Amino acid sequence: MKNLTLIIPTKKESESLPVFLDEMKKFNCKKLIVLERDDRETIEIIKKDENIELLFQNQKGYGSAIIEGINYSKTEYSCIINADGSMDPNYLKEMLEECRDKDFVFNSRYLYPGGGSEDDTVVTLIGNKIFSFLGNLFFKLNISDILFTYIIGKTKSFQKLNLMYRDFRLCVEIPIKAKRNKLLYKSIPSYERSRIAGKKKVNAIKDGFLILFGMVSLFFRK
């Protein structure tokens, strides 16, 4: 896994991140923690390790962390994985193998057998089903979990997308632009764990409308 960088967008995860990084010790890949410079509480708990690097965001937002991480990555492959521990790193080997002849591999909580979630609520489940349906209807994506950003891809393929959304709209921008750029991708089942600690950073209603407007904008931005 030396040719892989984990892009770890992080915001106020001082409780979850140490546990997550401890779990990640067995994976011999680069870990790039992307966070805001003023998140002192999280910064202070990060133990120095030769495979861990900090990148301070130039702009705020979940999407910004991912975009800046992708542009910084120097390895052949990059993978987005959240700092809260909900995305199981034990899928990484399979994801990397599946990505050899693809540009991207998307994880899906709604592919069976194997998929599932301990973190979904009724609202997020319904919302994700609706957004996935819209993505398949209007963009012909053929994916089942459009909002789950546990994604591995060739770094050059990520960079080809010219991503622009600096917030949670990035979740839908990646698969839509992958399709438009005629890049190869597939989905595999993935079981989402409960976050280790702390609170979700997503506001289901507010960010849901933001993502909807983002999809509408992308539809007309052909």
Side-chain angles (χ1 to χ4, degrees):
M1 288 190 181
K2 290 182 179 180
N3 59 349
L4 172 66
T5 294
L6 298 182
I7 297 167
I8 308 171
T10 304
K11 183 178 181 180
K12 301 186 185 305
E13 292 289 359
S14 59
E15 296 176 274
S16 297
L17 189 60
V19 180
F20 175 66
L21 290 178
D22 189 60
E23 180 182 18
M24 295 306 301
K25 286 180 180 177
K26 63 183 179 181
F27 298 96
N28 188 23
C29 56
K30 298 292 183 184
K31 292 101 178 176
L32 181 64
I33 299 171
V34 191
L35 74 173
E36 295 173 15
R37 191 178 295 273
D38 60 1
D39 190 356
R40 302 306 308 174
E41 189 176 355
T42 304
I43 293 168
E44 288 171 4
I45 56 86
I46 299 172
K47 295 179 180 179
K48 300 299 181 184
D49 185 286
E50 63 178 7
N51 282 327
I52 295 177
E53 190 171 359
L54 294 185
L55 177 65
F56 295 116
Q57 296 174 230
N58 291 316
Q59 296 186 46
K60 293 180 180 292
Y62 179 75
S64 291
I66 292 171
I67 291 170
E68 293 177 33
I70 288 167
N71 291 334
Y72 185 85
S73 177
K74 300 174 181 65
T75 52
E76 183 180 0
Y77 296 91
S78 295
C79 178
I80 304 164
I81 185 167
N82 290 345
D84 62 10
S86 60
M87 297 172 175
D88 191 341
N90 290 306
Y91 290 104
L92 286 172
K93 183 178 179 181
E94 178 187 0
M95 293 165 68
L96 194 57
E97 290 173 354
E98 294 286 353
C99 200
R100 301 293 184 192
D101 61 348
K102 297 287 187 294
D103 292 286
F104 301 103
V105 173
F106 297 93
N107 279 266
S108 174
R109 296 163 291 183
Y110 311 123
L111 282 179
Y112 305 102
S117 175
E118 296 175 4
D119 200 51
D120 248 352
T121 64
V122 173
V123 174
T124 58
L125 173 63
I126 294 173
N128 209 335
K129 291 288 187 180
I130 291 171
F131 285 125
S132 296
F133 172 77
L134 293 175
N136 292 328
L137 178 64
F138 292 107
F139 301 97
K140 312 300 181 186
L141 298 182
N142 193 29
I143 62 175
S144 57
D145 197 353
I146 197 171
L147 300 184
F148 197 40
T149 51
Y150 193 8
I151 305 167
I152 194 170
K154 293 182 171 69
T155 303
K156 288 183 179 178
S157 299
F158 269 120
Q159 293 169 350
K160 283 180 184 177
L161 301 181
N162 294 315
L163 298 168
M164 62 180 183
Y165 285 136
R166 298 282 171 169
D167 45 41
F168 288 109
R169 289 175 293 177
L170 186 89
C171 301
V172 297
E173 185 182 11
I174 293 175
I176 289 171
K177 286 191 172 179
K179 177 70 174 183
R180 284 187 171 166
N181 282 274
K182 299 181 179 179
L183 299 177
L184 300 176
Y185 60 85
K186 68 175 297 183
S187 296
I188 61 171
S190 180
Y191 190 85
E192 181 185 31
R193 309 181 297 192
S194 297
R195 66 163 27 252
I196 295 168
K199 297 179 180 179
K200 279 187 175 185
K201 306 304 186 293
V202 179
N203 182 311
I205 304 300
K206 176 185 172 183
D207 292 315
F209 277 108
L210 193 66
I211 290 167
L212 178 60
F213 292 140
M215 292 184 77
V216 172
S217 177
L218 286 167
F219 181 76
F220 290 105
R221 194 193 295 264
K222 294 184 179 180

